[in-house]
């Protein structure tokens, strides 16, 4: 007959191996989902940087237009 200690040891080893394989699968899945999230976030960040640059360019254009108009008003006032 097989000794009960050998059966217990075998079951313990199988349980440890099963747990190890299960945790490896979960870890692998989490890493994949983190990579997807990182890629999504980097795309969003790049898009936000582009929008900020566009807004800064628009602000510069508006400031330039305002300066030109104030200069025009100033010249008109000086002529009066």
């Amino acid at each position: 007959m097989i000794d009960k200690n050998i059966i217990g040891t075998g079951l313990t080893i199988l349980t440890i191996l099963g747990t190890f394989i299960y945790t490896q699968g979960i870890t692998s899945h989490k890493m994949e989902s983190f990579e997807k999230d990182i890629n999504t976030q980097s795309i969003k960040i790049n898009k936000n940087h582009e929008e900020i640059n566009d807004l800064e360019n628009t602000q510069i254009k508006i400031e330039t237009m305002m300066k030109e108009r104030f200069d025009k008003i100033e010249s008109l006032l000086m002529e009066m």
Side-chain angles (χ1 to χ4, degrees):
M1 264 248 138
I2 299 176
D3 191 15
K4 290 183 180 181
N5 287 337
I6 295 174
I7 293 174
T9 304
L11 285 175
T12 303
I13 291 171
L14 288 175
T15 302
I16 291 171
L17 286 174
T19 304
F20 177 74
I21 292 170
Y22 177 75
T23 55
Q24 288 292 19
I26 288 177
T27 303
S28 173
H29 175 71
K30 284 184 180 180
M31 288 176 66
E32 289 173 5
S33 66
F34 284 144
E35 288 175 358
K36 288 177 185 176
D37 289 344
I38 287 171
N39 288 337
T40 303
Q41 293 300 327
S42 66
I43 290 170
K44 288 180 182 178
I45 288 170
N46 288 337
K47 183 179 176 184
N48 287 339
H49 280 298
E50 290 174 3
E51 289 178 2
I52 288 170
N53 287 337
D54 290 342
L55 288 173
E56 287 175 348
N57 290 338
T58 303
Q59 179 184 359
I60 290 170
K61 288 177 185 177
I62 290 171
E63 288 174 350
T64 304
M65 288 172 54
M66 288 178 63
K67 185 178 183 312
E68 289 172 357
R69 289 184 182 168
F70 280 123
D71 289 344
K72 205 179 259 188
I73 290 172
E74 183 181 13
S75 67
L76 287 173
L77 286 174
M78 292 301 252
E79 290 177 5
M80 292 176 110

